[in-house]
Amino acid sequence: GAGVSQSPRYKVAKRGQDVALRCDPISGHVSLFWYQQALGQGPEFLTYFQNEAQLDKSGLPSDRFFAERPEGSVSTLKIQRTQQEDSAVYLCASSLRRWDAGQPQHFGDGTRLSIL
Amino acid sequence: AQTVTQSQPEMSVQEAETVTLSCTYDTSESDYYLFWYKQPPSRQMILVIRQEAYKQQNATENRFSVNFQKAAKSFSLKISDSQLGDAAMYFCAYRSAWGSGGSNYKLTFGKGTLLTVNP
């Protein structure tokens, strides 16, 4: 079956523009995570969805970041009024069940965002 | 809050030899999971191996094994018979076993170790 799919793979935007990054999780996966990976660093948690409910958004850096998953499948991460410090790879991950912390998270290839 | 430390930014190994990547973590919890992920240049993060904190036995997956020392909060990855395809960035990650609403199920990553395999 298909893995986690993210689009676009690369995105270049001018400072101040809005961007939208898309994540298609593995079909049937309940949990969906977004991570931000700065150059040379490990991924850092942004937000978590369980089906359509956003249960944790504690990692979102500012109110310019917004994520949604309206039908419990595809998710979109939106960044408004982009800043240079937003440049990073944005990774999406999904996992099958809600309450099993031992299950692996399956990652997409990420979207590399560059803000000029 | 939990933290994960990988003290080796870069490591290299000769093909067919063995290499060990280090990871330490800090937590006050007793029940958690530890993971090693591999990230090739293509960027897709791939799970290498997983360890449950309440299990004494060290996890093994083919050429990959871990040395889990719970008291020392250490979780090293050993790669035996290294292959060219093992070259990648390796991340150690921590995940709480319990939490309401799934909020503790996020992964906390170290900064990674870049592994080079020399032919």
Side-chain angles (χ1 to χ4, degrees):
Chain A
V4 177
S5 177
Q6 292 188 246
S7 60
R9 190 155 167 81
Y10 301 92
K11 176 70 178 178
V12 179
K14 292 183 178 179
R15 187 167 59 92
Q17 288 183 330
D18 298 348
V19 298
L21 312 180
R22 177 185 169 104
C23 173
D24 275 279
I26 295 173
S27 178
H29 277 200
V30 169
S31 297
L32 186 145
F33 299 81
W34 283 98
Y35 294 86
Q36 181 190 58
Q37 186 175 19
L39 187 64
Q41 303 293 315
E44 292 192 356
F45 171 79
L46 293 177
T47 188
Y48 165 68
F49 288 87
Q50 186 182 106
N51 294 309
E52 69 278 5
Q54 188 176 22
L55 298 186
D56 188 347
K57 54 182 181 179
S58 63
L60 295 177
S62 75
D63 58 7
R64 296 186 295 103
F65 286 71
F66 172 76
E68 61 183 4
R69 194 185 184 197
E71 298 179 357
S73 55
V74 171
S75 177
T76 303
L77 177 66
K78 298 179 180 177
I79 309 174
Q80 298 176 326
R81 305 180 304 280
T82 52
Q83 303 292 319
Q84 284 193 324
E85 61 263 27
D86 300 335
S87 297
V89 174
Y90 290 85
L91 296 171
C92 177
S94 70
S95 59
L96 181 59
R97 295 183 297 275
R98 289 174 287 180
W99 305 121
D100 181 0
Q103 63 182 299
Q105 293 182 13
H106 301 270
F107 284 82
D109 289 343
T111 294
R112 182 180 297 280
L113 176 64
S114 298
I115 305 300
L116 304 179
Chain B
Q2 294 80 27
T3 59
V4 176
T5 302
Q6 294 180 250
S7 59
Q8 306 154 316
E10 298 183 27
M11 292 282 285
S12 64
V13 63
Q14 290 296 125
E15 198 175 3
E17 297 194 343
T18 296
V19 64
T20 298
L21 308 185
S22 301
C23 173
T24 58
Y25 58 95
D26 188 26
T27 184
S28 58
E29 299 173 331
S30 60
D31 200 7
Y32 48 87
Y33 292 85
L34 296 165
F35 303 83
W36 278 98
Y37 277 88
K38 169 186 177 182
Q39 188 178 42
S42 64
R43 291 206 306 261
Q44 187 174 53
M45 198 82 71
I46 302 165
L47 177 65
V48 175
I49 199 165
R50 175 184 66 179
Q51 176 76 43
E52 299 164 82
Y54 62 86
K55 286 192 174 179
Q56 302 267 358
Q57 188 173 6
N58 289 325
T60 299
E61 288 286 344
N62 300 313
R63 298 183 295 108
F64 299 87
S65 61
V66 299
N67 183 4
F68 173 50
Q69 302 290 327
K70 191 172 184 180
K73 296 179 182 174
S74 171
F75 182 60
S76 60
L77 174 69
K78 185 172 82 171
I79 306 174
S80 304
D81 185 26
S82 297
Q83 300 176 359
L84 294 177
D86 295 334
M89 184 72 86
Y90 285 81
F91 291 98
C92 178
Y94 173 101
R95 192 181 196 184
S96 298
W98 305 104
S100 60
S103 62
N104 283 8
Y105 294 172
K106 63 188 177 186
L107 290 165
T108 299
F109 288 88
K111 290 189 174 182
T113 297
L114 180 62
L115 178 66
T116 302
V117 180
N118 301 311

